[in-house]
Structure formats: structure tokens, C-alpha cells
Coordinates of all heavy atoms in Angstrom, one line a residue:
M1 N 9.4 28.2 13.0 CA 8.6 27.4 12.1 C 7.1 27.7 12.3 O 6.6 27.9 13.4 CB 8.9 25.9 12.4 CG 8.2 24.9 11.6 SD 8.3 23.2 11.9 CE 10.1 22.9 11.8
S2 N 6.4 27.9 11.2 CA 5.0 28.2 11.2 C 4.2 27.0 11.7 O 4.7 25.9 11.8 CB 4.5 28.6 9.8 OG 4.5 27.5 9.0
D3 N 3.0 27.4 12.2 CA 2.1 26.3 12.7 C 1.9 25.3 11.6 O 1.8 24.1 11.8 CB 0.8 26.9 13.1 CG 0.9 27.6 14.5 OD1 1.9 27.4 15.2 OD2 0.0 28.4 14.8
F4 N 1.7 25.7 10.3 CA 1.4 24.8 9.2 C 2.6 23.9 9.0 O 2.5 22.7 8.9 CB 1.1 25.6 7.9 CG 0.9 24.7 6.8 CD1 -0.2 23.9 6.6 CD2 1.9 24.6 5.8 CE1 -0.4 23.1 5.5 CE2 1.7 23.7 4.7 CZ 0.6 23.0 4.6
A5 N 3.8 24.5 9.0 CA 5.0 23.7 8.8 C 5.2 22.7 9.9 O 5.6 21.5 9.7 CB 6.2 24.6 8.7
A6 N 4.9 23.1 11.1 CA 5.0 22.2 12.3 C 4.0 21.0 12.2 O 4.3 19.9 12.5 CB 4.8 23.0 13.6
Q7 N 2.8 21.3 11.8 CA 1.8 20.3 11.6 C 2.2 19.3 10.5 O 2.0 18.1 10.7 CB 0.4 20.9 11.3 CG -0.2 21.7 12.5 CD -1.5 22.4 12.1 OE1 -1.8 22.6 10.9 NE2 -2.2 22.8 13.1
L8 N 2.7 19.9 9.4 CA 3.2 19.0 8.3 C 4.3 18.1 8.7 O 4.3 16.9 8.4 CB 3.6 19.9 7.1 CG 3.8 19.1 5.8 CD1 2.7 18.3 5.4 CD2 4.2 20.1 4.7
A9 N 5.2 18.7 9.5 CA 6.4 17.9 10.0 C 5.9 16.8 10.9 O 6.4 15.6 10.9 CB 7.4 18.8 10.7
A10 N 4.9 17.1 11.8 CA 4.3 16.1 12.7 C 3.6 15.0 11.9 O 3.8 13.8 12.2 CB 3.4 16.7 13.7
L11 N 2.9 15.3 10.9 CA 2.2 14.3 10.0 C 3.3 13.4 9.3 O 3.1 12.2 9.3 CB 1.3 15.0 9.0 CG 0.0 15.5 9.5 CD1 -0.7 16.3 8.4 CD2 -0.9 14.4 10.0
N12 N 4.3 14.0 8.8 CA 5.4 13.3 8.1 C 6.0 12.3 9.1 O 6.3 11.2 8.8 CB 6.4 14.2 7.5 CG 7.2 13.5 6.5 OD1 7.2 12.3 6.3 ND2 8.0 14.3 5.8
E13 N 6.3 12.8 10.3 CA 6.9 11.9 11.3 C 6.0 10.7 11.7 O 6.4 9.6 11.8 CB 7.3 12.7 12.6 CG 8.0 12.0 13.6 CD 8.4 12.8 14.8 OE1 8.9 13.9 14.6 OE2 8.2 12.4 15.9
Q14 N 4.7 11.0 11.8 CA 3.7 10.0 12.2 C 3.6 9.0 11.0 O 3.6 7.8 11.3 CB 2.4 10.6 12.4 CG 1.3 9.6 12.7 CD -0.1 10.3 12.9 OE1 -0.3 11.5 12.7 NE2 -1.1 9.5 13.4
Y15 N 3.6 9.4 9.8 CA 3.6 8.5 8.6 C 4.8 7.6 8.6 O 4.7 6.4 8.5 CB 3.5 9.3 7.3 CG 3.4 8.5 6.1 CD1 2.1 8.0 5.7 CD2 4.5 8.1 5.3 CE1 2.0 7.2 4.6 CE2 4.3 7.3 4.2 CZ 3.1 6.9 3.9 OH 3.0 6.1 2.7
A16 N 6.0 8.2 8.8 CA 7.2 7.5 8.8 C 7.2 6.4 9.9 O 7.7 5.3 9.7 CB 8.4 8.4 8.9
S17 N 6.7 6.7 11.0 CA 6.7 5.8 12.2 C 5.7 4.6 12.0 O 5.9 3.6 12.5 CB 6.5 6.5 13.5 OG 5.1 6.9 13.6
Q18 N 4.7 4.8 11.1 CA 3.7 3.8 10.9 C 3.9 3.0 9.7 O 3.2 1.9 9.5 CB 2.3 4.5 10.9 CG 1.9 5.1 12.2 CD 0.5 5.8 12.1 OE1 0.0 5.9 11.0 NE2 0.0 6.2 13.2
I19 N 4.8 3.4 8.8 CA 4.9 2.7 7.5 C 5.4 1.3 7.6 O 4.9 0.4 6.9 CB 5.8 3.5 6.5 CG1 5.6 3.1 5.1 CG2 7.3 3.5 6.9 CD1 4.3 3.3 4.6
K20 N 6.3 1.0 8.5 CA 6.7 -0.4 8.7 C 5.6 -1.3 9.1 O 5.4 -2.4 8.5 CB 7.8 -0.5 9.7 CG 8.3 -2.0 9.8 CD 9.5 -2.1 10.8 CE 10.0 -3.5 11.0 NZ 9.2 -4.6 10.6
N21 N 4.7 -0.8 10.0 CA 3.6 -1.6 10.4 C 2.6 -1.8 9.2 O 2.0 -2.9 9.1 CB 2.8 -1.0 11.6 CG 3.6 -1.0 12.9 OD1 4.5 -1.9 13.0 ND2 3.3 -0.1 13.8
T22 N 2.4 -0.8 8.4 CA 1.5 -0.9 7.3 C 2.1 -2.0 6.3 O 1.3 -2.8 5.8 CB 1.4 0.4 6.6 OG1 0.9 1.4 7.5 CG2 0.6 0.4 5.3
L23 N 3.4 -1.9 6.0 CA 4.0 -2.9 5.1 C 3.9 -4.3 5.6 O 3.6 -5.2 4.9 CB 5.4 -2.4 4.7 CG 5.6 -1.1 4.0 CD1 7.0 -0.8 3.9 CD2 4.9 -1.2 2.6
D24 N 4.2 -4.4 6.9 CA 4.2 -5.7 7.6 C 2.7 -6.3 7.5 O 2.5 -7.5 7.2 CB 4.6 -5.7 9.0 CG 6.1 -5.5 9.2 OD1 6.9 -5.7 8.2 OD2 6.5 -5.2 10.3
D25 N 1.7 -5.5 7.7 CA 0.4 -5.9 7.7 C 0.0 -6.4 6.2 O -0.7 -7.4 6.1 CB -0.6 -4.8 8.1 CG -2.0 -5.2 8.3 OD1 -2.2 -6.3 8.9 OD2 -2.9 -4.5 7.9
L26 N 0.4 -5.6 5.2 CA 0.1 -6.0 3.9 C 0.8 -7.3 3.5 O 0.1 -8.2 2.9 CB 0.6 -4.9 2.9 CG -0.3 -3.7 2.8 CD1 0.4 -2.6 2.0 CD2 -1.6 -4.0 2.2
A27 N 2.0 -7.5 3.9 CA 2.8 -8.7 3.6 C 2.1 -9.9 4.3 O 1.9 -11.0 3.8 CB 4.2 -8.6 4.1
S28 N 1.7 -9.7 5.6 CA 1.0 -10.7 6.3 C -0.3 -11.2 5.7 O -0.6 -12.3 5.6 CB 0.8 -10.3 7.8 OG 0.1 -11.2 8.5
C29 N -1.0 -10.2 5.2 CA -2.3 -10.4 4.6 C -2.2 -11.3 3.4 O -2.9 -12.3 3.2 CB -3.0 -9.1 4.2 SG -4.6 -9.3 3.5
V30 N -1.1 -11.1 2.6 CA -0.9 -11.9 1.4 C -0.4 -13.2 1.8 O -0.8 -14.2 1.2 CB 0.1 -11.1 0.5 CG1 0.5 -12.0 -0.7 CG2 -0.5 -9.9 -0.1
S31 N 0.6 -13.3 2.7 CA 1.2 -14.6 3.0 C 0.3 -15.6 3.7 O 0.4 -16.8 3.5 CB 2.5 -14.4 3.9 OG 2.1 -13.9 5.1
E32 N -0.7 -15.0 4.3 CA -1.7 -15.9 5.0 C -2.7 -16.6 4.0 O -3.3 -17.6 4.3 CB -2.6 -15.1 6.0 CG -1.8 -14.6 7.2 CD -2.6 -13.6 8.0 OE1 -3.8 -13.3 7.6 OE2 -2.1 -13.2 9.1
Q33 N -2.7 -16.1 2.7 CA -3.6 -16.6 1.8 C -3.1 -17.9 1.0 O -3.9 -18.6 0.5 CB -4.0 -15.5 0.7 CG -4.6 -14.3 1.3 CD -5.8 -14.6 2.2 OE1 -6.7 -15.3 1.8 NE2 -5.8 -14.0 3.4
G34 N -1.9 -18.1 1.0 CA -1.4 -19.2 0.2 C -1.4 -18.9 -1.3 O -1.4 -17.7 -1.6
P35 N -1.4 -19.9 -2.1 CA -1.4 -19.6 -3.6 C -2.6 -19.0 -4.2 O -2.6 -18.4 -5.2 CB -1.1 -21.0 -4.2 CG -1.6 -21.9 -3.2 CD -1.5 -21.3 -1.9
E36 N -3.7 -19.1 -3.5 CA -5.0 -18.5 -4.0 C -5.4 -17.4 -3.1 O -5.6 -17.6 -1.9 CB -6.1 -19.6 -4.1 CG -5.8 -20.7 -5.0 CD -5.8 -20.3 -6.5 OE1 -6.6 -19.4 -6.9 OE2 -4.9 -20.8 -7.3
I37 N -5.6 -16.2 -3.7 CA -6.1 -15.0 -2.9 C -7.5 -14.8 -3.3 O -7.8 -14.5 -4.5 CB -5.2 -13.8 -3.2 CG1 -3.7 -14.1 -2.9 CG2 -5.7 -12.6 -2.5 CD1 -2.8 -13.0 -3.4
P38 N -8.4 -14.9 -2.3 CA -9.9 -14.6 -2.6 C -10.1 -13.2 -3.1 O -9.3 -12.3 -2.8 CB -10.5 -14.8 -1.2 CG -9.6 -15.6 -0.4 CD -8.2 -15.3 -0.9
S39 N -11.0 -13.1 -4.0 CA -11.3 -11.7 -4.6 C -11.6 -10.7 -3.6 O -11.2 -9.5 -3.8 CB -12.4 -11.8 -5.7 OG -13.6 -12.3 -5.1
T40 N -12.2 -11.0 -2.5 CA -12.5 -10.0 -1.5 C -11.2 -9.5 -0.8 O -11.1 -8.3 -0.6 CB -13.4 -10.6 -0.3 OG1 -12.8 -11.8 0.2 CG2 -14.8 -10.9 -0.9
I41 N -10.3 -10.4 -0.6 CA -8.9 -10.0 0.0 C -8.2 -9.2 -1.1 O -7.6 -8.2 -0.8 CB -8.1 -11.2 0.4 CG1 -8.9 -12.0 1.5 CG2 -6.7 -10.8 0.8 CD1 -9.0 -11.3 2.8
L42 N -8.2 -9.6 -2.3 CA -7.6 -8.9 -3.4 C -8.1 -7.5 -3.6 O -7.4 -6.6 -3.8 CB -7.7 -9.7 -4.7 CG -6.7 -9.4 -5.8 CD1 -5.3 -9.4 -5.4 CD2 -6.9 -10.3 -7.0
A43 N -9.4 -7.4 -3.5 CA -10.0 -6.0 -3.6 C -9.6 -5.1 -2.4 O -9.3 -3.9 -2.6 CB -11.5 -6.1 -3.6
D44 N -9.5 -5.7 -1.2 CA -9.0 -4.9 -0.1 C -7.5 -4.5 -0.3 O -7.1 -3.4 0.0 CB -9.1 -5.7 1.2 CG -8.6 -5.0 2.4 OD1 -9.1 -3.9 2.7 OD2 -7.7 -5.5 3.1
L45 N -6.7 -5.5 -0.8 CA -5.3 -5.2 -1.0 C -5.2 -4.1 -2.1 O -4.4 -3.2 -1.9 CB -4.6 -6.4 -1.5 CG -4.3 -7.5 -0.5 CD1 -3.8 -8.7 -1.1 CD2 -3.3 -6.9 0.6
H46 N -6.0 -4.2 -3.1 CA -6.0 -3.1 -4.2 C -6.2 -1.7 -3.6 O -5.5 -0.8 -3.8 CB -7.0 -3.5 -5.3 CG -7.1 -2.4 -6.3 ND1 -8.1 -1.4 -6.2 CD2 -6.4 -2.1 -7.3 CE1 -8.0 -0.6 -7.2 NE2 -6.9 -1.0 -7.9
A47 N -7.2 -1.6 -2.7 CA -7.6 -0.4 -2.1 C -6.5 0.1 -1.2 O -6.1 1.3 -1.2 CB -8.9 -0.5 -1.3
R48 N -5.9 -0.8 -0.5 CA -4.8 -0.4 0.5 C -3.6 0.0 -0.3 O -2.9 1.0 0.1 CB -4.6 -1.5 1.5 CG -5.8 -1.7 2.4 CD -5.7 -2.9 3.2 NE -4.6 -2.8 4.2 CZ -4.2 -3.8 5.0 NH1 -4.8 -5.0 4.9 NH2 -3.2 -3.7 5.8
L49 N -3.3 -0.7 -1.4 CA -2.1 -0.3 -2.2 C -2.3 1.0 -2.9 O -1.4 1.8 -3.0 CB -1.8 -1.4 -3.2 CG -1.2 -2.7 -2.6 CD1 -1.4 -3.9 -3.6 CD2 0.2 -2.5 -2.2
H50 N -3.5 1.3 -3.3 CA -3.8 2.6 -3.9 C -3.6 3.7 -3.0 O -2.9 4.7 -3.3 CB -5.3 2.6 -4.4 CG -5.7 3.9 -5.0 ND1 -5.4 4.2 -6.3 CD2 -6.4 4.9 -4.5 CE1 -5.8 5.5 -6.5 NE2 -6.5 5.9 -5.5
K51 N -4.0 3.5 -1.8 CA -3.8 4.5 -0.7 C -2.3 4.7 -0.4 O -1.8 5.8 -0.3 CB -4.6 4.1 0.6 CG -4.5 5.1 1.7 CD -5.3 4.6 2.9 CE -5.1 5.5 4.1 NZ -5.9 5.1 5.2
L52 N -1.6 3.6 -0.3 CA -0.2 3.6 0.0 C 0.6 4.3 -1.2 O 1.5 5.1 -0.9 CB 0.3 2.2 0.2 CG 1.8 2.0 0.6 CD1 2.0 2.7 2.0 CD2 2.1 0.6 0.8
A53 N 0.2 4.0 -2.4 CA 0.9 4.7 -3.5 C 0.7 6.2 -3.5 O 1.7 6.9 -3.7 CB 0.3 4.1 -4.9
G54 N -0.5 6.6 -3.1 CA -0.7 8.1 -3.0 C 0.0 8.7 -1.8 O 0.6 9.7 -2.0
S55 N -0.1 8.1 -0.7 CA 0.5 8.7 0.5 C 2.0 8.6 0.5 O 2.6 9.5 1.0 CB -0.1 8.0 1.8 OG 0.3 6.6 1.8
G56 N 2.5 7.6 -0.1 CA 4.0 7.5 -0.2 C 4.6 8.7 -1.0 O 5.6 9.3 -0.6
G57 N 3.9 9.0 -2.1 CA 4.4 10.2 -2.9 C 4.2 11.5 -2.1 O 5.0 12.4 -2.1
T58 N 3.1 11.6 -1.4 CA 2.8 12.8 -0.6 C 3.8 13.1 0.4 O 4.2 14.2 0.7 CB 1.3 12.7 0.0 OG1 0.4 12.6 -1.1 CG2 1.0 13.9 0.9
F59 N 4.2 12.0 1.1 CA 5.1 12.1 2.2 C 6.6 11.9 1.9 O 7.4 11.8 2.8 CB 4.7 11.2 3.4 CG 3.5 11.6 4.1 CD1 2.3 11.0 3.8 CD2 3.5 12.6 5.0 CE1 1.1 11.4 4.4 CE2 2.4 13.1 5.6 CZ 1.2 12.5 5.4
G60 N 6.9 11.9 0.6 CA 8.3 11.9 0.2 C 9.0 10.6 0.1 O 10.2 10.5 0.3
Y61 N 8.2 9.6 -0.2 CA 8.7 8.2 -0.4 C 8.4 7.8 -1.9 O 7.5 6.9 -2.1 CB 8.1 7.2 0.6 CG 8.5 7.6 2.0 CD1 7.7 8.4 2.8 CD2 9.6 7.1 2.6 CE1 8.0 8.7 4.1 CE2 10.0 7.4 3.9 CZ 9.1 8.2 4.6 OH 9.5 8.5 5.9
P62 N 9.1 8.3 -2.9 CA 8.8 8.0 -4.2 C 8.9 6.5 -4.6 O 8.2 6.0 -5.4 CB 9.7 8.9 -5.1 CG 10.8 9.2 -4.1 CD 10.3 9.2 -2.8
E63 N 9.9 5.9 -4.1 CA 10.1 4.5 -4.4 C 9.0 3.6 -3.8 O 8.5 2.7 -4.5 CB 11.5 4.0 -4.0 CG 11.8 2.6 -4.4 CD 11.9 2.3 -5.9 OE1 12.0 3.3 -6.7 OE2 11.7 1.1 -6.3
L64 N 8.6 3.9 -2.6 CA 7.5 3.2 -2.0 C 6.2 3.4 -2.9 O 5.5 2.5 -3.1 CB 7.3 3.7 -0.6 CG 6.0 3.3 0.1 CD1 6.0 1.8 0.4 CD2 5.8 4.0 1.4
S65 N 6.0 4.6 -3.3 CA 4.9 5.0 -4.1 C 4.9 4.2 -5.4 O 3.9 3.7 -5.8 CB 4.8 6.5 -4.3 OG 3.7 6.8 -5.1
R66 N 6.1 4.2 -6.0 CA 6.2 3.5 -7.3 C 5.9 2.0 -7.2 O 5.1 1.4 -8.0 CB 7.6 3.7 -7.9 CG 7.8 3.1 -9.3 CD 9.2 3.1 -9.8 NE 10.1 2.2 -9.0 CZ 10.1 0.9 -9.1 NH1 9.3 0.3 -9.9 NH2 10.9 0.2 -8.3
Q67 N 6.5 1.4 -6.2 CA 6.3 -0.1 -6.0 C 4.8 -0.4 -5.6 O 4.3 -1.4 -6.1 CB 7.3 -0.6 -5.0 CG 8.7 -0.6 -5.5 CD 9.7 -1.2 -4.6 OE1 9.3 -2.0 -3.7 NE2 10.9 -0.9 -4.8
A68 N 4.2 0.4 -4.8 CA 2.8 0.2 -4.4 C 1.9 0.4 -5.6 O 1.0 -0.4 -5.8 CB 2.4 1.2 -3.3
C69 N 2.3 1.3 -6.5 CA 1.5 1.5 -7.7 C 1.6 0.3 -8.6 O 0.6 -0.1 -9.2 CB 2.0 2.8 -8.4 SG 1.0 3.2 -9.8
E70 N 2.8 -0.3 -8.8 CA 2.9 -1.5 -9.6 C 2.1 -2.6 -9.0 O 1.4 -3.3 -9.8 CB 4.4 -1.9 -9.6 CG 5.2 -1.0 -10.5 CD 6.7 -1.4 -10.5 OE1 7.0 -2.5 -10.1 OE2 7.5 -0.6 -11.0
L71 N 2.1 -2.8 -7.7 CA 1.3 -3.9 -7.1 C -0.2 -3.6 -7.2 O -1.0 -4.5 -7.4 CB 1.7 -4.0 -5.6 CG 3.1 -4.6 -5.4 CD1 3.5 -4.5 -3.9 CD2 3.2 -6.0 -5.9
E72 N -0.5 -2.3 -7.1 CA -1.9 -2.0 -7.2 C -2.4 -2.3 -8.6 O -3.5 -2.8 -8.8 CB -2.1 -0.5 -7.0 CG -3.5 0.1 -7.3 CD -3.5 1.6 -7.4 OE1 -2.5 2.3 -7.2 OE2 -4.6 2.1 -7.7
V73 N -1.6 -2.0 -9.7 CA -2.0 -2.3 -11.0 C -2.2 -3.8 -11.2 O -3.2 -4.3 -11.9 CB -1.0 -1.7 -12.0 CG1 -1.2 -2.3 -13.4 CG2 -1.1 -0.2 -12.0
S74 N -1.3 -4.6 -10.7 CA -1.4 -6.1 -10.7 C -2.7 -6.6 -10.1 O -3.4 -7.4 -10.6 CB -0.2 -6.7 -10.1 OG 1.0 -6.5 -10.8
A75 N -2.9 -6.0 -8.9 CA -4.2 -6.4 -8.2 C -5.4 -6.1 -9.0 O -6.4 -6.9 -9.1 CB -4.2 -5.8 -6.8
K76 N -5.4 -4.9 -9.6 CA -6.5 -4.5 -10.4 C -6.7 -5.4 -11.6 O -7.8 -5.8 -11.9 CB -6.4 -3.0 -10.8 CG -7.5 -2.5 -11.7 CD -7.2 -1.0 -12.1 CE -8.4 -0.5 -12.9 NZ -8.1 0.8 -13.5
D77 N -5.6 -5.7 -12.3 CA -5.7 -6.6 -13.4 C -6.3 -7.9 -13.1 O -7.1 -8.5 -13.8 CB -4.3 -6.7 -14.1 CG -3.8 -5.5 -14.8 OD1 -4.6 -4.6 -15.0 OD2 -2.6 -5.5 -15.1
W78 N -5.8 -8.5 -11.9 CA -6.3 -9.8 -11.5 C -7.8 -9.7 -11.2 O -8.6 -10.6 -11.5 CB -5.5 -10.3 -10.3 CG -4.1 -10.7 -10.6 CD1 -3.6 -11.0 -11.9 CD2 -3.1 -10.8 -9.7 NE1 -2.3 -11.3 -11.8 CE2 -1.9 -11.2 -10.5 CE3 -2.9 -10.7 -8.4 CZ2 -0.7 -11.5 -9.9 CZ3 -1.7 -10.9 -7.8 CH2 -0.6 -11.3 -8.5
L79 N -8.2 -8.6 -10.5 CA -9.6 -8.4 -10.2 C -10.5 -8.4 -11.5 O -11.5 -9.0 -11.5 CB -9.8 -7.2 -9.3 CG -9.5 -7.3 -7.9 CD1 -9.4 -6.0 -7.2 CD2 -10.5 -8.3 -7.1
E80 N -10.0 -7.6 -12.4 CA -10.8 -7.4 -13.6 C -10.8 -8.6 -14.5 O -11.8 -8.8 -15.2 CB -10.2 -6.2 -14.4 CG -10.5 -4.9 -13.8 CD -9.9 -3.7 -14.5 OE1 -9.1 -3.9 -15.4 OE2 -10.2 -2.5 -14.1
S81 N -9.8 -9.4 -14.4 CA -9.7 -10.7 -15.2 C -10.4 -11.8 -14.6 O -10.6 -12.9 -15.2 CB -8.3 -11.0 -15.6 OG -7.6 -11.5 -14.4
G82 N -10.8 -11.6 -13.3 CA -11.4 -12.7 -12.5 C -10.4 -13.7 -12.0 O -10.8 -14.7 -11.4
I83 N -9.2 -13.4 -12.1 CA -8.1 -14.3 -11.6 C -7.9 -13.8 -10.1 O -7.4 -12.7 -9.9 CB -6.8 -14.2 -12.4 CG1 -7.1 -14.7 -13.8 CG2 -5.7 -15.0 -11.7 CD1 -5.9 -14.5 -14.7
A84 N -8.1 -14.6 -9.2 CA -7.9 -14.3 -7.8 C -6.8 -15.1 -7.1 O -6.8 -15.2 -5.9 CB -9.2 -14.4 -7.0
G85 N -5.9 -15.6 -7.9 CA -4.8 -16.4 -7.3 C -3.5 -15.9 -7.8 O -3.4 -15.0 -8.7
G86 N -2.4 -16.4 -7.3 CA -1.1 -16.1 -7.7 C -0.4 -15.2 -6.7 O -1.0 -14.9 -5.6
A87 N 0.8 -14.9 -6.9 CA 1.6 -14.1 -6.0 C 1.7 -12.7 -6.5 O 1.9 -12.4 -7.7 CB 2.9 -14.7 -5.8
L88 N 1.5 -11.7 -5.6 CA 1.7 -10.3 -6.0 C 3.2 -10.1 -6.3 O 4.0 -10.5 -5.6 CB 1.3 -9.4 -4.8 CG -0.2 -9.3 -4.5 CD1 -0.4 -8.4 -3.3 CD2 -1.0 -8.8 -5.7
R89 N 3.4 -9.4 -7.4 CA 4.8 -9.1 -7.8 C 4.9 -7.6 -7.9 O 4.2 -6.9 -8.4 CB 5.1 -9.7 -9.1 CG 5.1 -11.3 -9.1 CD 5.5 -11.8 -10.4 NE 5.0 -13.0 -10.9 CZ 4.8 -14.2 -10.3 NH1 5.0 -14.3 -9.2 NH2 4.3 -15.2 -10.8

């Protein structure tokens, strides 16, 4: 295996081992807010979901990427409309 392939495999393994913590952290962040999510938290969630949507596709998790993208779009819509409450779907 080439050095590049070995480095890529190591990155993929690292991503896979950290994804559960990332998802748990996102879920915790939302559940702590109750029915109203402040716009600052929503903006942070939007950015984190955007990153997750991209990285999921990069590391071979297309369903994760698709779902993160859907949530990212919802967060963006809420931010743009000034609505900072509700549940992420």
C-alpha cells in the first residue's frame, strides 16, 4: 500500500471512530434547547451540519451526507426566515 493510500485509510478510520461522538454532540446540542432554538445555536448547527454533509460524502457515508444536508437546509431556511424555534427534521 502506498503512503498516500495508508494515510487515506488512517483518515477514514479516524473519521469513522469519531462520527458517533459528532452525532451525539449535535443531538445533545439540539435537545438541550427545548422548543426554541436561539439563532446563535441554529447558526452553529447549520455550520456543523454543512461540514458533516461534506465530510460524510468524502469518507463514504452517502446516507449520512444526505441527511445532514437536509437538516442543513432546514437550519438555513429557519435562519433566513428569522424563525429560531422548532424541531430539526
